[in-house]
Amino acid sequence: MAYALSTTKRKFHRILDSFPNGSTTSLAPITKHDNASITTFAEYAARKKARSEKRPMNSRTSETPQMSLVNIESERAEVSKQTTPEKKAPYFVPWDRDAFLARLKTFQHVYLWASKPDEVNEVQWAKRGWRLLDKDTVACSGCGKQVVMKLELDEPIIRENGQEDVATDEEEWRKKAQDQLVEKYAEMIVTEHGTNCLWRRRGCDATIQRMRLTQPESTLSDLRARYISFSRLKTILPTSLRTPENFDIGYNSQRLGTYLLESTTSSAVEQREPTTRVLNEDALKFALFGWEAEAADGLEVARCNACFRRLGLWLFILRPNPENPNEPREAIVDRLDLVHEHRDYCPWINPTSQSGGRAANNIMSDPPEPAGWEMLQNVIRHMKHSPDAASPKPISLSELGSPMSASTLLDRKERVAKDQERWAKLKKLKQVFRVKRPKRVGMDKDEKGKMVRPHTAT
């Protein structure tokens, strides 16, 4: 037992001797931690030094903050675009002609909208805020209402001898039914809007179709742009054109030759494609009657920006003959009528549309109200002669009437006399409604006519 106890004590003391002293034990982990910290700091300093050597000196002070601000601004712009909704144009603008034409343009395709009577044609629907949505279906962008218009028009039966056949009882009944249906659709143009829709209360004015032809400078500038669009197509331009009898292309060519062919760079169209030095009279005819050339799906067409009628020019040109190149085939359509190819309501040919309804009210007026192409002729007639043709002479609205309006104007003295007579009548009418003021009590007039009290009168 004594030997075992001594052996156990010896092992215990040997274990105690193997431990270091207390101070070393407490400092060892600290020293190890400090060495690790120093090593980490040294690596950080080395990395920072390497980055500073690769980058210019001024990049740390000026470029880095600037780039960060740019990135912040770009991020803010992207966030604002995503969060800010797009502003929609107001739907109720009955005075805006551009908005009216945008609605009218939706009716241009004949396979979606066939010709309708004047009371319910596309102009009447567009004036009340309707636009074409689908085949014979119109919709209002304000209230969202939709109307499907089904109207089958019966054409008169023509006999072989060319005379119109006498309508039977059944055909007369169908015609009356169609007239009643047209009246019903005319009412629906207004009543089919929502109860709170503003288009239900008011539509566009009768002058909404009127073209702005009172400013000679802008009118002639638009004419020149239309002429340039057709002058590019001179190789395939139809030559068999029909114009009114009172239209003189020679006079227009003489008046507009210098203006159309002068080498100016006032517009972007002329900078891209300068005009040639030879006047193309066929292109001028198209331009004078409101037509403009455009390319649609690789085909050349003529369009009107007032009624949105489109003509395929390939229908009116001579076709090549493979068998005999010297004798080309005839065109599909013999002649192109520059007036009748417009739609009936187009202001270029319709005086009522251009005058805002005055032509319909003044049927027997002398001179009659002019159409758009006639007003353009008057602008050309009153423009300055070359070489200063680019600055047309300002003319009055009375001179923009029909070609014979200058000879029918009243004499200046007669107009002045009539004006004086009207002013005299107005003065007499004003005296009738003039009420005399009662005299103030205790007041009197002095020698100068001023109101004074009696004790101060002199």
Side-chain angles (χ1 to χ4, degrees):
M1 292 294 296
Y3 176 76
L5 182 60
S6 62
T7 303
T8 303
K9 289 182 179 180
R10 193 183 308 112
K11 291 181 179 179
F12 176 76
H13 287 292
R14 190 182 300 165
I15 293 173
L16 291 178
D17 293 337
S18 64
F19 289 141
N21 54 16
S23 60
T24 306
T25 305
S26 62
L27 291 175
I30 298 176
T31 306
K32 186 176 180 181
H33 179 72
D34 290 342
N35 292 336
S37 301
I38 293 171
T39 304
T40 306
F41 180 76
E43 291 178 357
Y44 173 75
R47 293 175 183 175
K48 184 176 180 181
K49 183 178 180 181
R51 287 196 301 267
S52 62
E53 290 177 354
K54 294 180 180 180
R55 188 170 52 188
M57 293 298 294
N58 58 352
S59 62
R60 291 176 295 177
T61 58
S62 60
E63 292 184 3
T64 302
Q66 183 177 2
M67 292 299 295
S68 62
L69 291 176
V70 172
N71 295 334
I72 292 172
E73 292 295 333
S74 62
E75 291 178 359
R76 288 179 178 176
E78 293 179 359
V79 172
S80 62
K81 289 181 181 180
Q82 296 175 359
T83 56
T84 305
E86 296 181 359
K87 293 183 178 180
K88 296 182 179 180
Y91 76 93
F92 182 71
V93 280
W95 56 86
D96 192 345
R97 185 172 184 269
D98 295 335
F100 164 77
L101 293 178
R103 294 191 298 272
L104 184 63
K105 189 177 180 179
T106 60
F107 295 86
Q108 64 177 336
H109 300 295
V110 294
Y111 58 87
L112 294 178
W113 182 268
S115 178
K116 301 291 190 297
D118 294 341
E119 296 83 0
V120 290
N121 63 2
E122 52 266 36
V123 175
Q124 305 303 327
W125 290 95
K127 284 183 177 180
R128 279 288 177 172
W130 300 95
R131 60 176 63 244
L132 189 65
L133 183 64
D134 202 349
K135 182 175 176 58
D136 295 328
T137 304
V138 295
C140 175
S141 58
C143 60
K145 295 287 186 177
Q146 297 183 12
V147 178
V148 179
M149 184 177 181
K150 296 293 184 180
L151 184 63
E152 297 180 0
L153 301 177
D154 293 337
E155 298 182 356
I157 301 174
I158 306 299
R159 293 180 178 178
E160 295 181 356
N161 56 5
Q163 297 181 359
E164 185 176 345
D165 195 1
V166 179
T168 61
D169 295 340
E170 182 180 356
E171 292 174 350
E172 290 182 356
W173 178 86
R174 292 183 62 181
K175 186 178 183 302
K176 291 181 180 179
Q178 285 183 357
D179 294 340
Q180 294 177 0
L181 189 59
V182 169
E183 293 179 0
K184 181 62 177 178
Y185 277 123
E187 296 177 358
M188 293 172 65
I189 294 177
V190 179
T191 58
E192 283 302 308
H193 281 287
T195 306
N196 298 325
C197 185
L198 297 177
W199 285 112
R200 188 186 181 97
R201 305 176 185 177
R202 178 192 171 188
C204 294
D205 192 70
T207 60
I208 195 67
Q209 287 185 267
R210 180 186 297 171
M211 297 182 296
R212 300 175 180 89
L213 300 176
T214 57
Q215 298 295 331
E217 186 174 356
S218 60
T219 301
L220 295 177
S221 177
D222 295 340
L223 170 65
R224 188 176 186 182
R226 294 195 300 270
Y227 169 79
I228 292 174
S229 67
F230 279 102
S231 64
R232 301 171 184 169
L233 312 177
K234 60 181 180 180
T235 56
I236 60 171
L237 200 62
T239 56
S240 180
L241 303 176
R242 180 179 297 173
T243 57
E245 296 180 355
N246 58 344
F247 174 77
D248 188 0
I249 186 60
Y251 175 79
N252 287 275
S253 300
Q254 181 183 1
R255 296 283 295 175
L256 297 170
T258 304
Y259 176 69
L260 295 178
L261 299 178
E262 63 181 358
S263 57
T264 59
T265 57
S266 58
S267 64
V269 177
E270 297 163 282
Q271 293 177 2
R272 295 194 302 265
E273 191 75 20
T275 58
T276 58
R277 300 305 301 175
V278 179
L279 187 67
N280 191 335
E281 291 188 352
D282 292 327
L284 181 59
K285 289 179 182 179
F286 275 98
L288 289 172
F289 287 92
W291 297 99
E292 186 174 357
E294 70 172 357
D297 299 331
L299 300 174
E300 305 292 346
V301 298
R303 76 170 188 272
C304 173
N305 292 327
C307 65
F308 301 103
R309 182 85 161 95
R310 301 175 72 187
L311 302 175
L313 298 179
W314 65 90
L315 300 174
F316 305 94
I317 61 176
L318 299 177
R319 296 175 295 169
N321 189 355
E323 300 177 356
N324 189 358
N326 297 327
E327 295 181 1
R329 297 178 180 178
E330 295 182 357
I332 300 177
V333 182
D334 296 337
R335 183 170 293 185
L336 195 160
D337 196 320
L338 296 177
V339 173
H340 291 93
E341 287 296 340
H342 284 279
R343 302 189 191 274
D344 295 336
Y345 56 80
C346 183
W348 279 110
I349 63 170
N350 193 322
T352 303
S353 300
Q354 179 60 25
S355 62
R358 292 199 310 267
N361 298 330
N362 302 327
I363 299 178
M364 302 303 295
S365 62
D366 186 25
E369 295 290 341
W373 74 270
E374 294 173 325
M375 294 184 67
L376 180 57
Q377 289 294 303
N378 289 313
V379 173
I380 297 171
R381 185 176 292 105
H382 292 89
M383 68 180 291
K384 287 185 178 181
H385 292 278
S386 58
D388 192 20
S391 301
K393 178 182 177 181
I395 57 180
S396 61
L397 293 176
S398 60
E399 292 175 338
L400 288 175
S402 64
M404 301 301 294
S405 61
S407 60
T408 59
L409 292 176
L410 295 175
D411 187 69
R412 181 178 178 82
K413 294 182 180 180
E414 295 180 2
R415 293 200 302 269
V416 172
K418 286 190 174 183
D419 290 340
Q420 292 178 354
E421 183 179 356
R422 294 192 188 97
W423 279 111
K425 291 180 179 180
L426 289 174
K427 288 181 180 179
K428 291 181 180 180
L429 185 63
K430 188 177 180 180
Q431 291 177 358
V432 173
F433 292 97
R434 181 177 294 176
V435 180
K436 295 183 178 180
R437 296 181 179 179
K439 185 177 180 181
R440 297 182 181 180
V441 180
M443 301 291 289
D444 199 358
K445 291 185 178 181
D446 59 0
E447 296 178 355
K448 297 181 180 180
K450 295 182 179 181
M451 300 298 295
V452 296
R453 295 187 179 278
H455 65 275
T456 59
T458 56

